[in-house]
């Protein structure tokens, strides 16, 4: 009982000593002077499209609503106080369809007021669903034959490509599906722009012998920002 009584008497002093103990202050790390603080696309008809900036990875991720059918983007960029960015805020980025389908590298370099530099890579994508293609040659061992057109004598041979999620042509915006012919080495020999395209069908003209020599080819379709290639080849030849 005596020991318990002594502990109770000492408890207030122990608590007071703990309360008076000096508190350690931790300084907040200073922010770099070469950061991109915000990135937003302004040439859209409705709400602005914001990019997600990742300082650690040096990336800006932008997901474009595909139904805007943008062919250029105009970003508004905010950087650290006193910093500059190149390309500058407001500079248009054109040929968006090509950049999205071919993976062209777009980078921004931020120079802080202290001269330090940081590089950010722009990662563009869209919400457009993937396109799918129906095979023109169901049996790869027996390729479907397509016969050359002869433009000089106005003899044109046509065929249809069917599938899903094609973007119908946006003529006023200059957006059309394209059809590319890949040789057996996987190289593009010829690409045709087709205006006759719908959600599930694209009308195509067989190229001439001058455009695509006789041989086996796989067909690749690009519709706005998505591409797909048939697995089985077709055989293109003259009559």
């Amino acid at each position: 009982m005596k020991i318990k009584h002594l502990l109770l008497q000492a408890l207030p002093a122990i608590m007071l000593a703990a309360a008076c103990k000096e508190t350690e202050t931790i300084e907040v790390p200073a922010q770099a002077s070469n950061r991109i603080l915000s990135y937003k696309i302004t040439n859209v008809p409705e709400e602005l499209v914001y990019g997600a900036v990742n300082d650690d990875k040096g990336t800006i991720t932008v997901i474009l609503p595909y139904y805007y059918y943008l062919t250029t983007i105009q970003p508004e960029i905010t950087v650290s106080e006193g910093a500059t960015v190149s390309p500058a805020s407001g500079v248009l980025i054109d040929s968006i369809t090509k950049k999205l389908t071919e993976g062209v590298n777009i980078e921004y370099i931020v120079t802080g007021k202290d001269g330090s530099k940081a590089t950010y890579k722009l990662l563009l994508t869209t919400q457009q669903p993937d396109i799918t293609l129906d095979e023109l040659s169901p049996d790869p061992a027996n390729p479907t034959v397509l016969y050359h057109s002869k433009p000089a004598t106005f003899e044109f041979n046509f065929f249809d490509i069917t599938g899903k999620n094609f973007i119908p042509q946006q003529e006023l915006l200059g957006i059309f599906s394209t059809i590319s012919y890949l040789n057996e080495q996987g190289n593009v020999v010829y690409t045709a722009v087709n205006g006759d395209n719908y959600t599930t069908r694209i009308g195509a003209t067989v190229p001439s012998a001058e455009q695509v020599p006789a041989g086996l080819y796989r067909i690749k379709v690009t519709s706005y920002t998505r591409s797909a290639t048939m697995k089985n080849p077709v055989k293109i030849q003259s009559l």
Side-chain angles (χ1 to χ4, degrees):
M1 291 292 294
K2 194 172 184 178
I3 294 174
K4 181 178 179 181
H5 181 70
L6 290 173
L7 287 174
L8 288 173
Q9 286 183 327
L11 186 59
I14 294 172
M15 294 177 65
L16 180 62
C20 293
K21 187 177 180 180
E22 185 177 349
T23 302
E24 183 179 357
T25 302
I26 300 175
E27 294 292 334
V28 177
Q31 294 286 352
S33 64
N34 53 14
R35 299 171 57 224
I36 287 181
L37 304 180
S38 68
Y39 188 99
K40 53 189 176 184
I41 307 301
T42 60
N43 61 319
V44 288
E46 298 176 8
E47 294 184 5
L48 302 182
V49 177
Y50 287 82
V53 181
N54 188 313
D55 293 322
D56 294 334
K57 295 182 179 180
T59 58
I60 309 163
T61 303
V62 177
I63 303 175
L64 299 173
Y66 77 93
Y67 45 80
Y68 288 158
Y69 303 120
L70 296 176
T71 55
T72 62
I73 59 174
Q74 185 172 26
E76 181 180 304
I77 308 170
T78 304
V79 295
S80 303
E81 183 179 357
T84 59
V85 59
S86 179
S89 177
V91 173
L92 287 173
I93 299 175
D94 59 8
S95 304
I96 290 301
T97 301
K98 182 176 181 181
K99 289 177 170 61
L100 284 166
T101 55
E102 298 182 6
V104 176
N105 192 36
I106 303 171
E107 291 184 340
Y108 288 94
I109 298 176
V110 184
T111 304
K113 60 183 177 181
D114 59 357
S116 60
K117 295 183 182 294
T119 300
Y120 289 80
K121 183 177 182 180
L122 181 63
L123 305 177
L124 278 176
T125 186
T126 70
Q127 297 169 319
Q128 180 184 348
D130 291 335
I131 64 174
T132 61
L133 302 177
D134 298 328
E135 294 289 337
L136 285 173
S137 300
D139 181 2
N142 295 287
T144 296
V145 177
L146 300 177
Y147 294 101
H148 283 127
S149 293
K150 299 178 181 179
T153 57
F154 299 97
E155 298 177 58
F156 296 97
N157 293 313
F158 303 94
F159 66 100
D160 282 341
I161 295 174
T162 58
K164 293 181 180 178
N165 300 328
F166 303 146
I167 297 299
Q169 67 190 55
Q170 308 294 320
E171 190 169 355
L172 294 178
L173 300 175
I175 296 175
F176 304 91
S177 292
T178 61
I179 300 173
S180 299
Y181 297 84
L182 284 62
N183 61 19
E184 294 183 83
Q185 289 73 44
N187 300 319
V188 175
V189 174
Y190 177 71
T191 297
V193 176
N194 286 77
D196 181 24
N197 61 282
Y198 307 93
T199 305
T200 59
R201 182 182 70 82
I202 297 175
T205 304
V206 183
S208 67
E210 290 73 24
Q211 295 166 328
V212 176
L216 293 175
Y217 295 91
R218 288 190 302 136
I219 292 178
K220 175 182 178 180
V221 173
T222 299
S223 183
Y224 188 43
T225 64
R226 294 287 186 263
S227 295
T229 303
M230 294 184 186
K231 296 179 180 179
N232 302 334
V234 296
K235 185 176 183 179
I236 299 180
Q237 65 183 43
S238 297
L239 281 170

